[in-house]
Amino acid sequence: MTVLTDDPLIAGYHRFRRVVWPAQAQRYAQLARRRQQPATAVIACSDARIDPQTIFDAEPGDLFVIRNVAGLVPPYAPDGGCHGTSAALEYVVKILKVRRIVVLGHAGCDGIHAMIHGPLRNAQDFLGPWMDIAEPVLWPMPEQGSGEALETAVEDAVLSLSISNLRTFPWIRDGEKAGHLALSAWRFDIATGELRTT
């Protein structure tokens, strides 16, 4: 196999091995000897500008991260279809038994921008139907007008919708009622680095 020396991913890996690995090698060795045991699952947007592990200054093994376009949680729908986010939720709750699920939204979400402003008509195979999960927050349209204020209002409403959708999963709802599972929704501002609850 030929490795391109100017490949930025390979260059990043070499920095990791040179800088990060020496300080973390023992931790990785410990993680490799046991199954993963994260206490927290984070559902986040796939946006390349945000990284939950970096934002929360988490160590390897601390977070189980589920990423998708706009960080959406679909409603419970055990219909035999392929449901990546729902499968990951079932895994973290039933198998890993996490104690907390955090839905992490962010300012300037491109998926939500596209949902509001319409270019999803060019991506109808999967993206359009996926973003339809969030469409109910647009009706009635939030009163914030347009521009950044509207997008912020919709981003907040989508976080609330995702928390509501989490509660449609019976084993999440039951875990929360029993006090074994906590649900949180936070919004990260890329420009300021601030995190706030919604």
Side-chain angles (χ1 to χ4, degrees), residues 79-95:
D79 57 12
C82 296
H83 300 281
T85 297
S86 299
L89 285 168
E90 185 172 31
Y91 183 70
V92 299
V93 173
K94 290 185 171 183
I95 307 300

Side-chain angles (χ1 to χ4, degrees), residues 99-142:
R99 304 280 302 170
R100 180 182 211 179
I101 300 174
V102 174
V103 183
L104 179 65
H106 68 93
C109 179
D110 286 342
I112 291 174
H113 178 85
M115 180 182 75
I116 295 170
H117 300 290
L120 289 179
R121 66 182 167 272
N122 298 325
Q124 286 299 310
D125 289 351
F126 301 103
L127 185 57
W130 175 255
M131 290 307 299
D132 284 348
I133 293 168
E135 191 175 12
V137 306
L138 296 177
W139 312 107
M141 183 67 76

Side-chain angles (χ1 to χ4, degrees), residues 27 34 36-44 52-53 55-67 88-89 91-93 95-104 163 166 180-186 195:
R27 181 174 181 86
R34 60 175 171 80
Q36 62 174 322
Q37 297 174 315
T40 301
V42 178
I43 303 162
Q53 189 159 322
I55 291 167
F56 297 121
D57 192 25
E59 295 290 331
D62 287 350
L63 304 177
F64 187 100
V65 180
I66 304 164
R67 296 184 78 161
L89 285 168
Y91 183 70
V92 299
V93 173
I95 307 300
L96 299 182
K97 302 191 183 307
V98 296
R99 304 280 302 170
R100 180 182 211 179
I101 300 174
V102 174
V103 183
L104 179 65
I163 291 291
L166 280 172
H180 302 308
L181 187 60
L183 307 181
S184 305
W186 295 334
L195 184 72

